Amino acid sequence: MDIPEQLRSFDNYLTNDITWHEIFIHNFISATAMIILGNLSGGLIAVLLLVYNASIVAIAAYIAFLKGDSIGYSIMIFLPHGIFEVPAIFCSFLLGMSTFKALINKIYSEEVIPNDSTKDKIAILIFMLLSLLVASIIESTVTPKFSAVFINN
């Protein structure tokens, strides 16, 4: 995909009416995949998905910078929902590394890496879900408004 096509799809993203629940479901599926596939692979896929997510954010920030021609535009597009979404992604990564932590502890026959209790994992999961919910609401309502302000100025 060349940059002009990426910019067109970025415009479509910012101007289309994407509902908060569509964003939430997408992010929930991504987080759930990181948790399940991460645990099935001993943490390897969780690491790969975390790197993949970071790459996507970097590319999107670059495209936003090109589109808005300022760092301020990029920040205003990502910061409002990112302060909730990034911690949620890290929570899913943490939950996706459970089998890796257990494996390391088993190899060394001691708790080298503390593995969270079931109660802690539930609390992390609830925090992740609430953060994704808040991020999706902000991303569907606030982000397009910030975009319009910067594009019109």
Side-chain angles (χ1 to χ4, degrees):
M1 182 184 300
D2 61 3
I3 294 296
E5 186 179 333
Q6 289 174 332
L7 291 175
R8 281 194 301 278
S9 66
F10 189 75
D11 280 345
N12 289 340
Y13 163 73
L14 292 174
T15 57
N16 284 344
D17 291 326
I18 300 175
T19 63
W20 68 268
H21 60 309
E22 291 172 315
I23 295 169
F24 177 77
I25 290 169
H26 173 267
N27 290 340
F28 174 75
I29 290 170
S30 297
T32 302
M34 186 181 289
I35 294 167
I36 293 171
L37 296 174
N39 281 304
L40 290 175
S41 67
L44 178 62
I45 293 178
V47 170
L48 294 174
L49 289 174
L50 185 66
V51 170
Y52 173 76
N53 275 314
S55 300
I56 295 297
V57 169
I59 290 167
Y62 176 68
I63 292 169
F65 173 76
L66 290 177
K67 182 65 183 167
D69 201 27
S70 76
I71 292 174
Y73 177 74
S74 295
I75 291 170
M76 292 313 295
I77 291 297
F78 293 104
L79 184 65
H81 75 276
I83 60 174
F84 295 99
E85 194 169 331
V86 170
I89 291 168
F90 281 116
C91 286
S92 64
F93 173 74
L94 178 65
L95 293 172
M97 295 297 288
S98 294
T99 56
F100 173 77
K101 292 187 278 187
L103 181 64
I104 294 297
N105 291 338
K106 186 168 179 99
I107 289 170
Y108 287 99
S109 300
E110 64 180 281
E111 192 171 67
V112 176
I113 303 173
N115 210 348
D116 303 313
S117 68
T118 302
K119 183 179 176 183
D120 290 341
K121 288 177 185 173
I122 291 170
I124 292 168
L125 183 63
I126 290 170
F127 175 79
M128 180 194 81
L129 291 172
L130 290 175
S131 295
L132 288 176
L133 178 64
V134 171
S136 66
I137 292 169
I138 292 171
E139 190 173 354
S140 67
T141 57
V142 175
T143 300
K145 287 180 178 44
F146 277 145
S147 174
V149 167
F150 272 86
I151 292 297
N152 292 332
N153 288 332

